[in-house]
Amino acid sequence: MKIRSMALVSTMLACSATSGALAAERAKSSDAASAQQDIVVTAPRAQDKAREKQQSAPNIVNVQSAEAIDKYPDFNAAESLSRIPGISLSSDTGEGRFVNIRGIDGNLNGATYGGVVLLNTNPGGTVFGSGRAVEFDTIPTGAIDGIIVTKTGLPNHDAEGLGGSIELTPRSAARLTKPFVDGAVGYGYEPAHDHGGPLNLDLAVGGRFGGGSKPFSFVVTGSYREDRRGFDDIEADYVDDSGLTAASGTPFTALQIDKALSDIQLRRYNYNRRRFGYGGEFAYTPNDDHQYYIRAAIAGYTESVLKNRLTYDKLDGSALRVDPANPAGYATTTALTIKSTDEEETHRNQVFVVGGRDTFGDLTLDYHGAYSRATFKVGRNFGATYTGPKTVPFTYDNITNAEFPVLAVTNGTNVNDPSLYKLTKLSNAQERAVDKEWSGAINATLTTNWIGSGDHLTFGGQVRLRDKIDTPAAQSFKLPASGLPLLGSAITTFYDNRYTNGPQVDPAAIQAIAGQSTTTGFADNLTGFFAAEENIYAGYAMYATTLGKFGALAGVRLENTQATYSSYAFDQNAVNLGLRVRNRTYTNVFPTVQLRYDFTPHFVVRSTYSTGIGRPGFSQVAKPITIDRDNNIFTTGNPDLQPTTGNSFDLSLEYYLPHSGILSLGVFDKEFDNYVVSRTRNGTDTVNFPGVSVVKFVTYQNVPSAYARGIEAAYDQRFAFLPTPFDGFGVGANVTYVDSQIELRTGEKRPLPATSKWTWNAAAYYEAHGVQVRLAAQYVGSNLFGIGDTAAGDVFQSPRTTLDLTSSLEILKGIRLYFNVKNLTNAPLRIYERDSSRPIQREFYDETYEGGVKFKL
């Protein structure tokens, strides 16, 4: 790898020495063909310029400026992306993390940061385990200048992106015209668990120097946000036994058989996340024909997590019967346990780039060389189990109100008494995953005028050399017979004062007993180890022409993939059979045709055909083993997986309104081959899950064909034509409908996993005379969240509607006071099995309040 990396860097530096120059934006951005000459496609910081860039593009894109991002109370790039038409947000721990484009799972979409491929930090990635979906929550909003969502890719783009691709643009020094200092200082309150925060600090400075034309420019940015989010969660597992019979008394009804639980878990979470982003760019622009730059950007977060869980377990024992006092309830016995997690993990993305651009008459050369690195490190993950009394008489009713089931211990046992529980198990885990890539790209654009004026022939190549490795490790302890730490006081205000979370585990005491206990030390968990090398070599050519109101672009991209995946194999008795290495090589051709017609200077119609690829996830194809003993799930990869490919057909109508407004309507049809889905079967595993009656075995499989077809519509308009002071009012809305289908099981068709049929955004705002106020709603419809062995085991995410408020007041020129509220409706994250009457997870996050000052000097 070192030799390959040095060779690539040497090649790129040689290009730089002989050609000189870097990719910044061409001044002729209004020219539809020249707007896509650059390898590095950037988003303007100003909202009006962003709309102009979207209008002039030869393909279908959405451009979101930093100015527009600032109008929402979003913590990270994922949440900012979710405001764009066709984007749906996948949340985790109350904050946006992954995004889907037009209903397509995030693992199948592309992502770049300043034109360089952005890597995934967590090797597991989304719930489907691909490990390719970029975690956009690692990027704070203060670290980006804008966003471009490309929905129909061009030949000079990576072919990854079946739903589309996302470009996060860092602040650029090359476009500076004068010095600046801007930033923000804020603080707030998070009512859930009565936490202070978030703390928000942003600062960016830049300028030009060098005398005369001031050819040198620089920009330096820093962003820090800390929050202490708390939330409560109820989770449950169902018996799923159609032969269930009552121990005695009244027979179960069909509804009671359907709703009987095997356990119910009351989970309390406290997250302390410290998100950071810093970087800079230095550019040298001696004249209009030559430009060079170097850039560095580092972003991510460190997160400390404390979890306390009270579980009423073994509810499906021989004592289960209908509650004599409540025909809608159950009487049974339970085993009480307290479990805790004390974890700290760090996610970090780094991008380093050198590049340039030279223009020699009609020929322009663009090039860059880059190094990307994404890391995921778990420094500690202590898990403690306190075993409590068993066969405790217990009743519950989850039929009368499934959202807030009634729970009761009926023999007087005080579940809040710490003395009832004893520490019986202690473990610790660490993990280190490193994903790194050396890359380089060069293209040449020749102004030809062969067909029409301003025609361009563009051709070039790209190399990506990627290495990814995941090394988990585990540590077990032999606890002493005495001197074990006791539990602390119970928290009885759980879930808005409805329940108790039981006695609390003291994380400091757990760490202390771990240091005193006999331990095996950390040992690599080879079942979860995998290593991958994935090298991609690409070349392309495309031609763009303009004939009056008509514009066309046609081209083709060729990508050769050479991959090696390594992991350990094990037999049915968990005996290590040694390292297995699998090599894969394949070549794909990606043609595209993009047409546009300008009926008027403001009315554009586009019709496109584009293609793309989604490579199998690293963990999906490398065949590592994941053992989840908390949920009795055994997951393994499939080395025979093929990449998913797709053909996309789009038609859009766009009318550009004054004051950066827009009215648009689009339809799309995406046809996929070899779509990857998970496969689940139920069974037993006496080695890894002794005493467990039902274990879920999960792997992955290609489905020959699938599709996603839909409609997008958007409207945004400030009513500046109204008399003062009403000229600041405006509305914005977008909606996306996706009809998707895949054959999950023989003869059984479902929507694509993670795909919502409906998503929409709506906002009412006022922006004038130094005042900005915006009330924004967002809706993500239900979607398939997990695939079971039968339809009865399929898991879905419930629809979710959130409401946010942003406001600011300019008190001096360039200085604004702001106040934001997130999640005004306290919308829960709710997941259910088979149908909505069977919830298995319900998380409530409460609101977040934040205020402070923003400045631009």
Side-chain angles (χ1 to χ4, degrees):
M1 178 63 203
K2 184 177 180 180
I3 295 174
R4 291 184 296 138
S5 303
M6 292 178 65
L8 175 62
V9 172
S10 299
T11 300
M12 295 312 303
L13 291 177
C15 290
S16 191
T18 56
S19 307
L22 166 70
E25 263 192 309
R26 197 170 181 81
K28 303 174 183 178
S29 60
S30 61
D31 187 306
S34 68
Q36 293 297 330
Q37 288 182 35
D38 299 339
I39 295 173
V40 182
V41 182
T42 56
R45 186 166 182 80
Q47 187 172 358
D48 56 344
K49 297 300 182 182
R51 191 68 80 192
E52 290 175 8
K53 189 176 186 72
Q54 178 173 323
Q55 181 178 357
S56 65
N59 55 335
I60 298 175
V61 299
N62 293 107
V63 184
Q64 184 93 308
S65 67
E67 192 173 84
I69 291 170
D70 193 49
K71 296 177 180 180
Y72 296 93
D74 299 328
F75 284 3
N76 62 57
E79 295 178 339
S80 296
L81 277 160
S82 70
R83 312 290 181 176
I84 296 174
I87 301 290
S88 59
L89 184 66
S90 174
S91 296
D92 183 71
T93 68
E95 189 173 330
R97 172 166 290 182
F98 301 107
V99 297
N100 297 347
I101 305 176
R102 291 173 160 181
I104 307 305
D105 179 52
N107 291 291
L108 300 176
N109 298 320
T112 57
Y113 187 75
V116 177
V117 171
L118 194 61
L119 305 179
N120 172 271
T121 57
N122 191 324
T126 68
V127 69
F128 296 104
S130 173
R132 289 190 183 272
V134 170
E135 296 164 310
F136 288 101
D137 63 345
T138 61
I139 311 295
T141 54
I144 57 177
D145 234 13
I147 299 169
I148 299 177
V149 177
T150 298
K151 295 176 177 175
T152 59
L154 297 175
N156 63 337
H157 296 165
D158 283 298
E160 287 181 335
L162 291 174
S165 63
I166 295 164
E167 154 65 13
L168 303 181
T169 298
R171 302 202 76 164
S172 172
R175 299 192 300 270
L176 289 180
T177 57
K178 59 182 180 180
F180 74 90
V181 177
D182 61 43
V185 178
Y187 195 68
Y189 176 60
E190 295 171 297
H193 302 176
D194 196 26
H195 288 162
L199 169 67
N200 182 39
L201 302 171
D202 285 326
L203 181 65
V205 298
R208 305 191 69 90
F209 65 95
S213 62
K214 296 183 178 180
F216 297 101
S217 56
F218 74 95
V219 63
V220 178
T221 64
S223 181
Y224 179 82
R225 177 180 288 271
E226 180 173 357
D227 62 71
R228 297 179 179 272
R229 183 173 293 106
F231 61 93
D232 296 335
D233 172 30
I234 296 181
E235 299 193 12
D237 292 298
Y238 293 86
V239 175
D240 291 327
D241 183 358
S242 60
L244 190 70
T245 57
S248 62
T250 306
F252 289 127
T253 65
L255 177 60
Q256 286 174 317
I257 292 174
D258 185 62
K259 297 275 286 182
L261 299 175
S262 59
D263 65 70
I264 187 164
Q265 308 155 30
L266 309 181
R267 303 183 176 208
R268 189 176 192 270
Y269 298 89
N270 282 307
Y271 280 77
N272 179 14
R273 179 173 290 184
R274 289 88 72 193
R275 182 180 286 106
F276 53 86
Y278 49 91
E281 182 177 289
F282 179 77
Y284 173 55
T285 310
N287 52 54
D288 292 340
D289 291 331
H290 303 282
Q291 191 174 80
Y292 314 86
Y293 75 90
I294 57 174
R295 177 190 301 140
I298 299 173
Y301 60 80
T302 297
E303 180 175 80
S304 302
V305 184
L306 292 176
K307 304 177 183 178
N308 207 87
R309 183 173 83 189
L310 168 63
T311 300
Y312 298 100
D313 205 358
K314 302 186 183 304
L315 304 180
D316 53 345
S318 59
L320 180 63
R321 64 191 188 279
V322 177
D323 184 357
N326 178 13
Y330 305 81
T332 185
T333 60
T334 187
L336 299 172
T337 59
I338 300 285
K339 291 188 176 183
S340 72
T341 299
D342 174 13
E343 180 189 16
E344 184 169 89
E345 61 185 47
T346 299
H347 303 243
R348 184 187 299 265
N349 268 299
Q350 303 172 69
V351 178
F352 305 94
V353 194
V354 58
R357 175 196 286 139
D358 294 304
T359 298
F360 306 100
D362 291 333
L363 177 66
T364 297
L365 297 177
D366 260 300
Y367 45 87
H368 72 254
Y371 175 70
S372 302
R373 183 182 178 92
T375 57
F376 172 71
K377 180 181 179 181
V378 177
R380 68 173 185 274
N381 188 355
F382 285 100
T385 299
Y386 283 79
T387 302
K390 298 178 174 58
T391 63
V392 177
F394 182 72
T395 64
Y396 68 95
D397 177 3
N398 64 328
I399 294 177
T400 303
N401 187 342
E403 301 308 306
F404 307 109
V406 177
L407 313 175
V409 170
T410 58
N411 72 339
T413 299
N414 181 9
V415 299
N416 296 322
D417 182 357
S419 67
L420 294 179
Y421 305 87
K422 179 182 178 180
L423 179 64
T424 56
K425 184 179 179 182
L426 178 61
S427 63
N428 192 14
Q430 293 182 343
E431 186 172 4
R432 180 168 177 79
V434 178
D435 193 354
K436 56 187 178 181
E437 179 174 293
W438 291 92
S439 63
I442 184 168
N443 73 351
T445 300
L446 180 65
T447 301
T448 62
N449 302 321
W450 291 342
I451 301 175
S453 61
D455 291 2
H456 294 85
L457 172 66
T458 305
F459 54 92
Q462 182 187 41
V463 177
R464 294 176 53 196
L465 309 177
R466 185 172 185 177
D467 289 273
K468 190 179 183 81
I469 187 170
D470 183 24
T471 309
Q475 183 182 34
S476 60
F477 301 89
K478 184 177 179 181
L479 297 172
S482 61
L484 297 175
L486 301 177
L487 292 170
S489 300
I491 290 181
T492 59
T493 56
F494 179 84
Y495 229 62
D496 198 21
N497 298 310
R498 287 183 171 89
Y499 308 98
T500 176
N501 183 238
Q504 301 297 291
V505 178
D506 182 349
I510 292 297
Q511 291 192 36
I513 196 65
Q516 301 165 11
S517 302
T518 302
T519 175
T520 60
F522 278 100
D524 287 345
N525 176 12
L526 297 181
T527 61
F529 168 87
F530 76 84
E533 290 187 11
E534 196 173 77
N535 301 328
I536 300 170
Y537 306 90
Y540 72 91
M542 62 183 182
Y543 193 84
T545 185
T546 302
L547 294 171
K549 296 182 177 182
F550 176 77
L553 184 149
V556 65
R557 183 179 183 88
L558 181 72
E559 287 194 353
N560 173 255
T561 304
Q562 299 178 17
T564 300
Y565 305 105
S566 303
S567 60
Y568 287 90
F570 297 84
D571 67 11
Q572 60 184 2
N573 296 315
V575 174
N576 186 355
L577 301 178
L579 189 67
R580 296 290 188 265
V581 179
R582 305 168 185 88
N583 297 311
R584 299 285 299 277
T585 300
Y586 47 90
T587 300
N588 300 91
V589 179
F590 304 101
T592 185
V593 177
Q594 315 251 357
L595 308 174
R596 61 173 285 159
Y597 187 81
D598 296 354
F599 277 94
T600 72
H602 304 293
F603 181 33
V604 181
V605 178
R606 307 177 199 266
S607 177
T608 72
Y609 164 68
S610 57
T611 51
I613 189 172
R615 296 175 178 87
F618 296 102
S619 56
Q620 289 177 337
V621 74
K623 207 176 180 180
I625 296 170
T626 301
I627 297 174
D628 180 356
R629 290 190 170 86
D630 284 341
N631 299 295
N632 301 328
I633 300 174
F634 183 99
T635 304
T636 185
N638 177 2
D640 297 322
L641 287 176
Q642 301 297 312
T644 304
T645 56
N647 295 284
S648 299
F649 306 87
D650 288 79
L651 176 67
S652 74
L653 294 81
E654 304 160 10
Y655 190 82
Y656 290 85
L657 303 168
H659 304 284
S660 305
I662 191 172
L663 174 64
S664 66
L665 177 67
V667 295
F668 59 88
D669 179 4
K670 295 180 175 293
E671 304 290 332
F672 304 111
D673 295 320
N674 292 318
Y675 204 95
V676 177
V677 298
S678 62
R679 287 289 188 231
T680 302
R681 67 173 180 85
N682 291 334
T684 60
D685 182 345
T686 58
V687 175
N688 296 296
F689 299 90
V692 177
S693 58
V694 179
V695 176
K696 291 183 179 180
F697 294 91
V698 180
T699 188
Y700 305 93
Q701 180 179 327
N702 288 114
V703 176
S705 63
Y707 68 77
R709 303 162 184 164
I711 301 173
E712 284 181 349
Y715 173 68
D716 196 314
Q717 177 67 85
R718 178 184 153 199
F719 305 136
F721 53 84
L722 295 176
T724 304
F726 305 105
D727 54 341
F729 284 107
V731 295
N734 61 72
V735 61
T736 302
Y737 170 81
V738 181
D739 174 36
S740 64
Q741 184 174 282
I742 189 170
E743 189 173 46
L744 286 184
R745 293 166 285 264
T746 302
E748 186 178 331
K749 297 179 179 179
R750 292 272 195 177
L752 287 176
T755 300
S756 299
K757 182 163 286 190
W758 289 99
T759 58
W760 54 257
N761 290 279
Y765 57 85
Y766 183 88
E767 298 174 359
H769 315 296
V771 177
Q772 293 186 357
V773 180
R774 180 174 293 250
L775 190 64
Q778 186 175 85
Y779 173 85
V780 178
S782 63
N783 57 79
L784 181 61
F785 191 74
I787 302 171
D789 59 332
T790 66
D794 287 344
V795 175
F796 299 86
Q797 191 169 26
S798 293
R800 189 165 185 248
T801 304
T802 57
L803 187 65
D804 303 318
L805 171 71
T806 52
S807 62
S808 69
L809 173 66
E810 187 174 46
I811 57 173
L812 294 171
K813 182 175 177 58
I815 300 178
R816 308 181 70 89
L817 299 179
Y818 75 92
F819 176 72
N820 301 332
V821 186
K822 286 174 60 87
N823 194 25
L824 280 163
T825 55
N826 192 18
L829 174 67
R830 185 180 187 274
I831 296 173
Y832 61 89
E833 182 182 77
R834 198 186 68 208
D835 64 64
S836 61
S837 69
R838 288 164 54 98
I840 61 174
Q841 183 175 346
R842 288 141 289 178
E843 295 180 355
F844 284 89
Y845 305 111
D846 221 328
E847 302 86 5
T848 298
Y849 301 89
E850 181 188 4
V853 59
K854 297 182 180 181
F855 53 89
K856 294 183 180 181
L857 307 176

